[in-house]
Amino acid sequence: MHELISGRWSARGYDPSATVSVEDLTTIVDAGRWAPTWGRVQPVRFIVGLRDDPTFAALGGVLTRGNSGWAPRSAALVLVCTTDDPDDAKAHTYGAVDCGLAVAQMILQAEALGFNAHPMAGFDAEAARDAFGIPAGRRPLVLLGIGVLAADAASLPEDIRARDEKPRTRLPLEEVAFADHWGHAAFPDFADT
């Protein structure tokens, strides 16, 4: 597995004084723009805020309690939006898939540039619609925090440090990848290390 994938994790312990340049942030967002898209529809849109600008402040204002304690330490916040048409199940579903692909590529690009990116669902989507005039037919789906890890974990608030120190785990491959029928491991000889 590529080290950008194996080393990626969603940190919270960002350095509140670290910055991301406009050039690097442009590259990260552009990686999302270049994500695969169903039927060439390209439904994904981005609202981008750098720390200390009005967009960042407004994005920080829509965070819910679980994220409002750490996410404002990010160097940038990016709200990722996609289609919102529940009457067209195919477009609605694939718009969400396209959004997920864009966020994944942004996370990996951030990692490649030396940043950490943390996707969040913990924000008030209706407040975001109001704050940014997001039109009908679009839905804010993911808020992405982009930051630099704090050099000294001891400088972090205890709750943030404790959450970041939890081991990164995933279910074993034999519990999620099947062949022949549900529950039959596709890769029975795979040793998860």
Side-chain angles (χ1 to χ4, degrees):
M1 184 181 308
H2 196 283
E3 63 189 34
L4 290 176
I5 297 169
S6 63
R8 185 223 59 83
W9 64 295
S10 298
R12 293 169 184 83
Y14 291 155
D15 177 345
S17 65
T19 60
V20 57
S21 70
V22 172
E23 180 181 10
D24 283 344
L25 187 55
T26 301
T27 301
I28 293 166
V29 173
D30 204 28
R33 181 178 69 96
W34 277 101
T37 182
W38 164 69
R40 298 184 181 186
V41 174
Q42 302 180 51
V44 179
R45 301 293 185 270
F46 310 94
I47 297 175
V48 182
L50 277 166
R51 187 186 304 117
D52 297 330
D53 75 15
T55 302
F56 185 95
L59 288 168
V62 303
L63 292 166
T64 56
R65 188 173 57 100
N67 293 321
S68 63
W70 69 266
R73 300 169 69 95
S74 302
L77 292 171
V78 180
L79 181 63
V80 187
C81 303
T82 189
T83 54
D84 189 17
D85 186 0
D87 294 331
D88 183 344
K90 194 171 186 179
H92 198 69
T93 297
Y94 284 101
V97 171
D98 285 1
C99 183
L101 290 166
V103 169
Q105 287 196 185
M106 292 168 68
I107 289 169
L108 294 177
Q109 184 63 55
E111 186 78 20
L113 293 171
F115 298 97
N116 181 276
H118 186 129
M120 298 171 272
F123 67 95
D124 184 333
E126 287 309 310
R129 284 181 187 280
D130 293 342
F132 298 105
I134 297 171
R138 297 285 175 180
R139 64 178 160 158
L141 198 55
V142 178
L143 186 53
L144 187 65
I146 300 166
V148 176
L149 298 178
D152 179 13
S155 70
L156 297 171
E158 176 58 34
D159 61 326
I160 293 172
R161 186 173 65 245
R163 290 174 82 183
D164 276 2
E165 288 175 350
K166 288 182 181 178
R168 179 178 176 247
T169 62
R170 291 294 184 268
L171 293 172
L173 194 57
E174 68 264 13
E175 290 183 25
V176 298
F178 309 131
D180 297 327
H181 58 83
W182 192 269
H184 185 262
F187 309 104
D189 298 327
F190 178 79
D192 196 6
T193 56

